[in-house]
Amino acid sequence: MPDWFEKLLTFIKLPLKYLWVASLFSGVTLFLPIEAIEVLGLDIILEKYRSWLGTLFLFTTCLVLAELFQILYRKLKSNRLKSKQLDKFLERLYQLDPHEKSVIREFFIQQRNTLQLPFDNATVSGLLNYGVLQISSSSGERSRVGTLVAIKMTSKADNLITQDMIDLPDLDSLNESDKNWIKNNRPEFTLEIDRHNSTFHRSW
């Protein structure tokens, strides 16, 4: 392989910031008014190496534009993928079943960011797998309803879930019928968790 070709390959692999410098330097030397070139002391370089500077400018500018195009393409592709994933996640939120809604309602009812929940419960486990909930502590304890750990909603779910999605009435204007409905539609393990905490004086 010719020596000049190896040097060309090495040059092409330079980071984008170095290509910018080469493109800017050659461009400035070629296109600045001659008075400015003389003030900068670049007139000798321009006189001796004009053709090389022209080649360098075209070559590095093309490399920079190609690299920028690839960056832009990857960014757009990443944004499309994120948008598609978000749409799929939002669609899943609108398909929550009554048991899943009851678990999520607890965060609103208790007005807490983190709750003590049985992570091995089928409904809770499903919400963890879907990315709606996440475990926020590595410690836990056994109870009659499963292993209780500190669990919170993921930031993605927290930003998207509304009270309408989980059939929750306005908590600021509850009537007696609303209160009874909420009481009768809480997760089946709620009372046992309250009993467990009361018995063992566990703070979460």
Side-chain angles (χ1 to χ4, degrees):
M1 182 181 293
D3 183 60
W4 65 267
F5 190 72
E6 290 184 4
K7 292 180 179 179
L8 178 62
L9 291 178
T10 302
F11 185 78
I12 291 175
K13 294 178 182 179
L14 285 175
L16 183 61
K17 60 182 179 181
Y18 296 119
L19 296 178
W20 266 116
V21 171
S23 176
L24 181 62
F25 173 76
S26 56
V28 165
T29 307
L30 286 169
F31 301 117
L32 273 182
I34 189 61
E35 294 82 4
I37 293 294
E38 291 175 349
V39 171
L40 293 173
L42 299 176
D43 50 316
I44 297 176
I45 295 177
L46 181 61
E47 180 180 346
K48 290 185 176 181
Y49 304 107
R50 177 183 293 272
S51 59
W52 285 103
L53 287 171
T55 302
L56 178 65
F57 175 76
L58 290 175
F59 186 66
T60 55
T61 300
C62 288
L63 287 177
V64 167
L65 292 177
E67 184 67 22
L68 290 177
F69 176 80
Q70 290 184 38
I71 293 174
L72 179 61
Y73 175 77
R74 289 194 295 267
K75 184 68 175 178
L76 290 174
K77 186 177 180 180
S78 175
N79 288 341
R80 284 198 298 268
L81 180 60
K82 289 180 180 178
S83 178
K84 187 176 180 180
Q85 291 174 338
L86 183 61
D87 289 342
K88 187 176 181 179
F89 184 71
L90 188 58
E91 182 181 356
R92 177 65 184 86
L93 293 181
Y94 278 109
Q95 295 174 349
L96 293 170
D97 65 34
H99 297 292
E100 292 169 332
K101 290 179 181 180
S102 70
V103 172
I104 297 173
R105 275 198 298 268
E106 287 300 305
F107 290 91
F108 291 83
I109 295 171
Q110 299 187 40
Q111 297 183 344
R112 297 175 63 183
N113 295 324
T114 303
L115 296 178
Q116 188 182 10
L117 298 173
F119 84 94
D120 43 4
N121 173 272
T123 300
V124 175
S125 178
L127 291 172
L128 288 168
N129 291 333
Y130 292 135
V132 178
L133 301 179
Q134 67 182 55
I135 296 174
S136 61
S137 173
S138 59
S139 62
E141 62 179 69
R142 296 292 300 171
S143 75
R144 292 182 181 179
V145 292
T147 303
L148 302 178
V149 296
I151 292 177
K152 64 181 181 180
M153 280 198 289
T154 61
S155 57
K156 182 168 60 173
D158 192 30
N159 291 330
L160 293 174
I161 292 177
T162 64
Q163 293 186 197
D164 288 337
M165 284 183 182
I166 53 177
D167 304 329
L168 182 63
D170 185 0
L171 296 176
D172 295 326
S173 57
L174 293 176
N175 54 40
E176 200 61 34
S177 177
D178 292 333
K179 292 178 181 179
N180 288 332
W181 184 89
I182 291 175
K183 181 179 179 181
N184 295 328
N185 287 276
R186 297 185 73 182
E188 57 185 13
F189 51 71
T190 302
L191 292 177
E192 177 56 31
I193 291 176
D194 290 341
R195 186 205 66 79
H196 177 88
N197 288 334
S198 176
T199 301
F200 296 98
H201 304 284
R202 188 77 175 182
S203 177
W204 290 79

